[in-house]
Amino acid sequence: MADSTVHLSPFLRFSPVIARALNDVLGGAAASVLTVTLGLSYAVLIFAGPLAPDLGTGVGVTFMASAVLALVIGVGSSLRFAIAAPEASTAAMTGIVASSLVERITAADPSSPLLAPVLVTFGLVSIATGLVLCTFGVTRIGRAIRYIPYPVVGGFLGATGCLILLGAIRVITGQPLQLATLGSFANTTTLFELGAACAMAAVLYLTWHRSRTPIGLPLILVAGTLAAHLAFWLAGISPAEAQRLGWTFHPPEQIGLVWPWTAQAIVHYPWSTLPELSGNLIAVIFVTASSTLFNTTGVEVATLREADLERELNVTGLANILCGALGGYPGCISVSRSILNFSAGGRGRLSGLTSAAISASMLIVAPALLGFMPKLVLGGLLVYLGSDTLHKWIVQSRRRLTMPEYLSLLAIILIILKWGFVAGILIGVVIGCTIFALSASRASSIKFGFDGTEYRSSLDRSRDEQALLSTHGSEIQGLKLQSYLFFGSANRLYQHVKALLQRHPECRFLVFDFKLVTGIDSSAAYSFDQIKRAALDRGIDLVLVHLPPGATKALRDNGFVSPEVRIVQELDHALEWCENEIIAQHRGHAQEEASLRDWLTQILGNGDDAAQLSRCCERLEVRAGEIIVRAGDPADSMHFILDGRVGIMIPAEQDGMTRVRSLGRYTTIGEMGLVSRTPRSATIQAEVDSVLYVLNAHQFDAIKIEAPALSHKLLTYFVSVMAERLTFANRTIAVLRR
């Protein structure tokens, strides 16, 4: 009994390991069914037309690439159950590169061999793709591809779907769909072939597309193959006749693997065509990199497993370099195959090794399998893949995109089909950036606005100061800014400020709070310079708060930061400074108005009349040297000089001006012009900073109607002033006559 226990315990101990290994093998085998069927489709897609005689080598290259990708990525991926192989997008791009190369070679020399240059091109593009992927992985810039605008990615993949669909038509009919070949599509056999393939695609859509069961696609393809052969048998068509009529593929005699890097192949390679193919080569690199990132993310979401994107890029890069060294074309991790393996129970690296072994075995089995495979099955699979991609990016994406984004996606698809992938991607990025800029410019850069009556500093003030701020607080206008300020949003800010200043002509302080601003660009700095000019023209002080270093540099480099612009660290301190200025100014105005009433009381002999006249006058503050009125202007006002000094100027020789008289505080000027309404005979200029109160003709006429007594007192004052000036003039004349 003890002996039996000793012998059974190792089996019991290792049976879970065996169970896990068995699950991995079964999962990898299930995923390999997809690899085999899709691999055959990709081979006939790429090696069609002039390359059809080399289909055997194409099948060998496809399964060699599938084996290498499954092996390397299966061993090195951060997702231990990952299955890799050529994907529809990478295969479609490889087919475009191959057909473009063949067109150029045959145009130059129709008798030139095609296979060797094609395999060398596969190797070059795979090695270049691998090096770029490794660079992305090592430098950690692979995530930058996710910053490409979504419509650009959608347009790129939508164009890939179109190319897969066009390639499917070439696989089914043996000729490309072009204007020159439209007539050949009118025969009955070709239409039947296309109809049968479309029926197969419809079956895939109605069954596997809706259920997405892991084993569904392989079963449908096998059932489609058997159904096609049953239809041939019922129609009395033998397998040989089906091949002759083009319903099935002509099987290659053997699967061949050709070493591409021979001296003869390298010497005779058309190196001059590489610059012309550069656009398509870049497109292969782009689609492989994007497929690696997007497929990895898709597997993460479907399996709830986290992947290391940098590691995936490095491992995929190494796998593609090895593929290129052997003459294979690019590939990456597969979403459908990895999920199928995971659903079947595969969790370990043995799944990838199993898939690699089955792909390698197809180098022996594939010829017979391909000869048995109807074109309508593989062609229908390609039609389904292309149509599904088009439906996803042309129909379904409409619900996720705005109209400008959707139109840009369609435009990118058309540009790619017309001028190639590089033109489509570059123009698409420009369109995407333009749409983003327009969309972002519509977003307000202003979080909220405020004025000094509703938002004040934290300083406690006396009741009279609070009352003064309640009355004049609207002289402070503030804006809380947000987000990144660039040419679009900053211009809208400038327009908002102009409208704000028109609504609040009393504004004296304009406060900008940059606390929520992440940065500004040079064009935004120009918009702030426009705001500065508009503010200075109105005598408004600019106050900037929480200005970040980057914004400070941008504004300083633009010349915006100057002594006229005040920069404060805290909004509370900025508001306190503005409030202090308002209080000081209006207290000074109150004293000034009291002084004006005292003076007018002396003139008019009555305080009520003085108060009424002061209310009719408009305060005018002028700088030294500023012209108050010019000679020849209409005499439509008079001035009470409360403070400062003004000069009466007349023209002199050599376009100069001569002062004939100067008037100081508590004097008036322009009385007779207000009465006689004759044009000004001299220019009045401020000699120092001065404060004047202006009584215009409209207010004077109103006084004559509404307050005749006050009007009479004013006229009496005007006469007395003129009498004093006439007496002074007579004395001056008497002196000059001596």
Side-chain angles (χ1 to χ4, degrees):
M1 192 69 176
D3 291 340
S4 63
T5 304
V6 172
H7 291 296
L8 289 175
S9 59
F11 174 77
L12 294 174
R13 185 166 59 250
F14 290 105
S15 58
V17 176
I18 295 174
R20 287 195 297 270
L22 184 60
N23 286 336
D24 290 344
V25 171
L26 292 176
S32 295
V33 177
L34 285 179
T35 299
V36 171
T37 53
L38 292 173
L40 292 174
S41 300
Y42 300 156
V44 298
L45 173 66
I46 297 171
F47 286 82
L51 290 175
D54 299 308
L55 179 57
T57 302
V59 173
V61 168
T62 298
F63 286 111
M64 179 273 296
S66 299
V68 171
L69 290 165
L71 176 64
V72 177
I73 295 179
V75 171
S77 175
S78 59
L79 299 170
R80 299 172 61 87
F81 54 88
I83 305 293
E87 283 279 88
S89 55
T90 58
M93 293 309 308
T94 304
I96 293 171
V97 172
S99 62
S100 299
L101 177 65
V102 168
E103 288 177 5
R104 286 166 174 78
I105 292 176
T106 54
D109 184 2
S111 62
S112 296
L114 302 177
L115 181 61
V118 168
L119 294 181
V120 171
T121 303
F122 286 173
L124 292 175
V125 72
S126 295
I127 292 173
T129 300
L131 292 174
V132 171
L133 292 177
C134 288
T135 302
F136 285 173
V138 171
T139 58
R140 297 180 179 270
I141 64 173
R143 298 173 188 265
I145 198 171
R146 295 185 174 180
Y147 291 97
I148 295 177
Y150 186 76
V152 177
V153 177
F156 183 91
L157 296 177
T160 302
C162 288
L163 296 172
I164 293 174
L165 197 57
L166 293 173
I169 295 174
R170 188 175 60 171
V171 168
I172 298 165
T173 64
Q175 52 192 343
L177 179 61
Q178 298 174 347
L179 289 176
T181 61
L182 284 179
S184 60
F185 283 83
N187 64 77
T188 306
T189 302
T190 302
L191 293 177
F192 270 122
E193 289 174 342
L194 290 173
C198 291
M200 183 65 195
V203 170
L204 288 170
Y205 175 77
L206 295 173
T207 55
W208 184 73
H209 179 84
R210 297 190 174 186
S211 63
R212 293 291 183 178
T213 56
I215 202 65
L217 181 59
L219 291 178
I220 295 169
L221 295 176
V222 171
T225 301
L226 296 176
H229 281 280
L230 178 60
F232 297 155
W233 179 75
L234 293 175
I237 301 175
S238 65
E241 190 175 1
Q243 290 182 5
R244 184 180 62 81
L245 294 174
W247 286 101
T248 59
F249 294 97
H250 291 276
E253 296 181 359
Q254 61 179 3
I255 298 298
L257 284 178
V258 179
W259 178 251
W261 309 108
T262 63
Q264 183 178 4
I266 295 175
V267 169
H268 293 92
Y269 183 80
W271 297 102
S272 60
T273 61
L274 282 182
E276 301 176 14
L277 295 174
S278 59
N280 291 330
L281 299 179
I282 293 173
V284 173
I285 296 173
F286 176 83
V287 74
T288 306
S290 60
S291 296
T292 299
L293 293 173
F294 296 152
N295 289 4
T296 301
T297 304
V299 174
E300 285 180 325
V301 173
T303 63
L304 302 179
R305 298 292 192 276
E306 185 176 357
D308 183 343
L309 289 181
E310 281 72 30
R311 181 173 175 178
E312 296 302 318
L313 288 168
N314 287 325
V315 171
T316 306
L318 292 174
N320 280 281
I321 290 173
L322 183 55
C323 270
L326 298 175
Y329 53 87
C332 61
I333 185 174
S334 170
V335 176
S336 58
R337 278 161 272 203
S338 298
I339 294 176
L340 176 56
N341 174 43
F342 189 85
S343 301
R347 298 292 187 274
R349 302 194 184 279
L350 190 57
S351 297
L353 300 179
T354 301
S355 179
I358 294 176
S359 296
S361 68
M362 290 303 298
L363 297 175
I364 302 172
V365 180
L369 184 61
L370 186 60
F372 186 74
M373 185 72 67
K375 285 186 178 180
L376 67 92
V377 173
L378 293 184
L381 177 60
L382 291 172
V383 169
Y384 164 74
L385 292 174
S387 301
D388 183 53
T389 303
L390 284 175
H391 180 266
K392 181 183 299 181
W393 294 105
I394 293 182
V395 178
Q396 293 181 346
S397 64
R398 177 63 191 93
R399 295 192 295 267
R400 300 191 298 268
L401 300 175
T402 63
M403 181 55 69
E405 290 174 332
Y406 181 70
L407 293 177
S408 69
L409 184 149
L410 297 180
I412 292 167
I413 293 176
L414 296 176
I415 292 170
I416 290 175
L417 295 177
K418 178 64 177 178
W419 291 295
F421 281 92
V422 172
I425 292 174
L426 293 179
I427 296 175
V429 169
V430 172
I431 294 174
C433 293
T434 303
I435 292 175
F436 169 78
L438 293 176
S439 300
S441 65
R442 287 195 292 267
S444 177
S445 58
I446 303 172
K447 187 173 182 62
F448 61 83
F450 60 90
D451 63 34
T453 63
E454 58 189 359
Y455 193 70
R456 296 180 184 171
S457 70
S458 60
L459 177 64
D460 287 339
R461 298 185 182 276
S462 62
R463 290 185 176 179
D464 59 331
E465 289 183 347
Q466 292 180 22
L468 194 150
L469 291 176
S470 296
T471 304
H472 302 286
S474 60
E475 295 180 8
I476 303 174
Q477 295 292 326
L479 295 173
K480 185 89 168 182
L481 306 182
Q482 63 181 353
S483 71
Y484 187 86
L485 304 179
F486 66 106
F487 60 91
S489 59
N491 182 66
R492 290 191 66 194
L493 174 63
Y494 169 59
Q495 300 299 330
H496 178 88
V497 169
K498 285 204 307 182
L500 175 70
L501 298 183
Q502 290 178 353
R503 293 194 307 270
H504 298 279
E506 75 279 6
C507 176
R508 286 190 54 229
F509 301 96
L510 193 55
V511 181
F512 293 99
D513 188 352
F514 287 79
K515 190 172 185 178
L516 301 180
V517 173
T518 57
I520 66 173
D521 66 1
S522 57
S523 54
Y526 173 74
S527 294
F528 273 98
D529 195 54
Q530 291 179 300
I531 293 174
K532 176 182 175 181
R533 290 197 297 271
L536 293 181
D537 289 343
R538 293 171 171 82
I540 298 172
D541 292 328
L542 291 179
V543 183
L544 308 184
V545 183
H546 291 126
L547 196 63
T552 303
K553 183 179 184 304
L555 294 176
R556 195 180 301 278
D557 293 343
N558 193 60
F560 175 82
V561 177
S562 63
E564 295 85 8
V565 178
R566 191 177 187 88
I567 299 178
V568 184
Q569 294 298 321
E570 295 289 340
L571 179 60
D572 189 66
H573 293 164
L575 292 175
E576 181 181 340
W577 178 79
C578 295
E579 292 166 359
N580 291 338
E581 291 293 313
I582 290 175
I583 291 171
Q585 179 187 26
H586 285 283
R587 274 182 174 170
H589 286 178
Q591 296 173 355
E592 182 181 287
E593 291 171 0
S595 176
L596 175 65
R597 286 194 298 271
D598 292 343
W599 175 33
L600 295 179
T601 300
Q602 294 176 5
I603 293 174
L604 303 173
N606 184 284
D608 293 337
D609 290 338
Q612 183 177 3
L613 179 59
S614 65
R615 287 193 297 269
C616 295
C617 295
E618 181 180 355
R619 185 179 186 276
L620 176 64
E621 186 174 343
V622 293
R623 302 283 185 181
E626 186 175 343
I627 300 297
I628 301 171
V629 297
R630 294 184 182 276
D633 289 348
D636 57 358
S637 62
M638 67 166 291
H639 296 77
F640 295 88
I641 305 172
L642 184 64
D643 192 20
R645 187 175 69 250
V646 302
I648 300 175
M649 317 295 292
I650 61 174
E653 296 180 356
Q654 298 180 352
D655 297 329
M657 299 289 289
T658 299
R659 188 184 75 177
V660 297
R661 193 173 182 186
S662 182
L663 294 91
R665 61 184 310 205
Y666 296 151
T667 59
T668 58
I669 189 169
E671 309 89 348
M672 294 309 299
L674 183 65
V675 174
S676 63
R677 307 293 170 91
T678 57
R680 306 278 188 186
S681 58
T683 296
I684 303 176
Q685 183 179 20
E687 297 181 351
V688 296
D689 293 350
S690 305
V691 177
L692 300 87
Y693 279 81
V694 183
L695 178 64
N696 58 45
H698 174 72
Q699 291 290 346
F700 181 63
D701 292 340
I703 290 174
K704 287 192 292 183
I705 296 173
E706 299 172 2
L710 176 58
S711 173
H712 178 74
K713 291 181 179 180
L714 276 175
L715 291 174
T716 302
Y717 170 71
F718 294 163
V719 171
S720 64
V721 168
M722 294 305 300
E724 291 175 359
R725 291 175 182 171
L726 181 60
T727 301
F728 177 80
N730 290 334
R731 291 174 182 173
T732 302
I733 293 172
V735 171
L736 293 175
R737 286 180 175 179
R738 290 177 184 174

